[in-house]
Amino acid sequence: MRVHTFKRAVVALALALPGAAIASVVAAPAAHADGCYTWNRTLYQGRSGSDVRQLQLRIAGWAGNNDIVELDGRFGPKTAAAVRRFQSAYGLEVDGIAGSQTYGKLYQIQDDNCTPRHFSWSEMDEGCGGSGWTGGPLSSGQTRQNALETMWKLEALRKSLGDKPLIVTSGFRSRTCNNQVGGASDSQHLYGNAADLVSRDRSLCQVARQARNHGFSGIIGPGVSGHNSHVHVDSRRENNQDRSANRTYWAAPDCGIPAGYR
């Protein structure tokens, strides 16, 4: 675990009403995240903006079974449901409203560079030893953004597996790297959307089964040639820049996950 520093301010106002019943603008939460991002207002269904998108990025891993949270900046039912799952997982009041308690927990589990506490930029750029996010089909900035979303999904998956370490054996790959390891010609690894995982504390099948609940539209694991030593997860359904259809594909036959589109 890396050292994480943050500062938090106590707020006196607590929300008691569901988002649909809020009729007036609520005072901005007074918590701050050093070096990363600070929300300045409470968010609930019907709100929109870049702050909603920042929230969606961090709770994308709480999408629910075979679902995703679109990073569209609109706080709709899916975002509210993901917030509730996040709140439940961390022992917060479950109301689907992002206020001071929800932000405080998000600040607590992220580092100053906006990555979640248990994952890092370096491990996501390790397909062949690191390439600085270049050499793929996207700009380095776009690739890094995809990798950041992947890390937040991994953080949620890790939490649901009992906060036991997940090890990324391959993240972003440049085209050169992808060719070296024999990856698919349009692999999601090229876009920063994918990670290959192992765990010392959980079986590969436990990882693959649980990944179905955390926003991963691509899961390939035991029972598929070349994937008996790790679990591959990705976000192919959200990728509008590859050559694949925006569909969910899971295949881990040895884990009771038959190969096919969902």
Side-chain angles (χ1 to χ4, degrees), residues 13-48:
L13 182 62
L15 293 173
L17 297 174
I22 296 176
S24 60
V25 175
V26 181
H32 296 270
D34 293 338
C36 183
Y37 185 83
T38 297
W39 284 272
N40 294 311
R41 60 175 181 161
T42 297
L43 298 175
Y44 44 83
Q45 284 199 60
R47 290 207 146 176
S48 61

Side-chain angles (χ1 to χ4, degrees), residues 60-102:
W62 297 100
N65 186 267
N66 194 17
D67 212 342
I68 59 174
V69 175
E70 293 87 354
L71 307 189
D72 58 8
R74 297 191 294 270
F75 199 125
K78 288 186 179 181
T79 299
V83 170
R84 287 194 292 270
R85 294 186 190 99
F86 174 86
Q87 291 169 331
S88 178
Y90 286 96
L92 307 177
E93 180 184 357
V94 179
D95 57 11
I97 299 169
S100 58
Q101 287 191 359
T102 299

Side-chain angles (χ1 to χ4, degrees), residues 61-247:
W62 297 100
N65 186 267
N66 194 17
D67 212 342
I68 59 174
V69 175
E70 293 87 354
L71 307 189
D72 58 8
R74 297 191 294 270
F75 199 125
K78 288 186 179 181
T79 299
V83 170
R84 287 194 292 270
R85 294 186 190 99
F86 174 86
Q87 291 169 331
S88 178
Y90 286 96
L92 307 177
E93 180 184 357
V94 179
D95 57 11
I97 299 169
S100 58
Q101 287 191 359
T102 299
Y103 298 146
K105 180 54 66 175
L106 286 170
Y107 298 149
Q108 183 182 359
I109 65 173
Q110 75 179 0
D111 285 327
D112 290 348
N113 62 5
C114 298
T115 62
R117 181 167 58 187
H118 297 103
F119 297 91
S120 67
W121 291 116
S122 60
E123 67 183 315
M124 283 299 294
D125 186 22
E126 273 191 345
C128 293
S131 62
W133 308 100
T134 62
L138 306 180
S139 70
S140 60
Q142 289 175 306
T143 304
R144 279 173 61 92
Q145 185 67 19
N146 288 342
L148 183 60
E149 182 181 2
T150 300
M151 283 188 274
W152 279 103
K153 290 184 179 182
L154 292 176
E155 185 74 16
L157 175 58
R158 186 189 193 279
K159 177 68 174 177
S160 291
L161 289 168
D163 262 337
K164 301 297 182 181
L166 284 175
I167 301 166
V168 178
T169 60
S170 184
F172 166 67
R173 302 174 189 157
S174 65
R175 289 189 179 92
T176 300
C177 171
N178 195 57
N179 290 336
Q180 288 176 358
V181 301
S185 62
D186 199 34
S187 169
Q188 295 301 312
H189 286 278
L190 294 166
Y191 298 87
N193 276 338
D196 293 344
L197 306 172
V198 297
S199 171
R200 300 189 187 97
D201 303 279
R202 296 289 184 262
S203 71
L204 293 179
C205 283
Q206 286 176 307
V207 174
R209 293 187 193 110
Q210 193 60 41
R212 296 175 295 181
N213 300 312
H214 294 288
F216 293 109
S217 49
I219 303 172
I220 306 175
V224 177
S225 178
H227 292 80
N228 289 311
S229 61
H230 66 273
V231 175
H232 167 97
V233 294
D234 66 53
S235 300
R236 62 185 65 193
R237 184 169 153 192
E238 299 166 70
N239 190 351
N240 296 319
Q241 296 161 304
D242 62 355
R243 299 192 298 271
S244 302
N246 294 86
R247 299 173 65 185

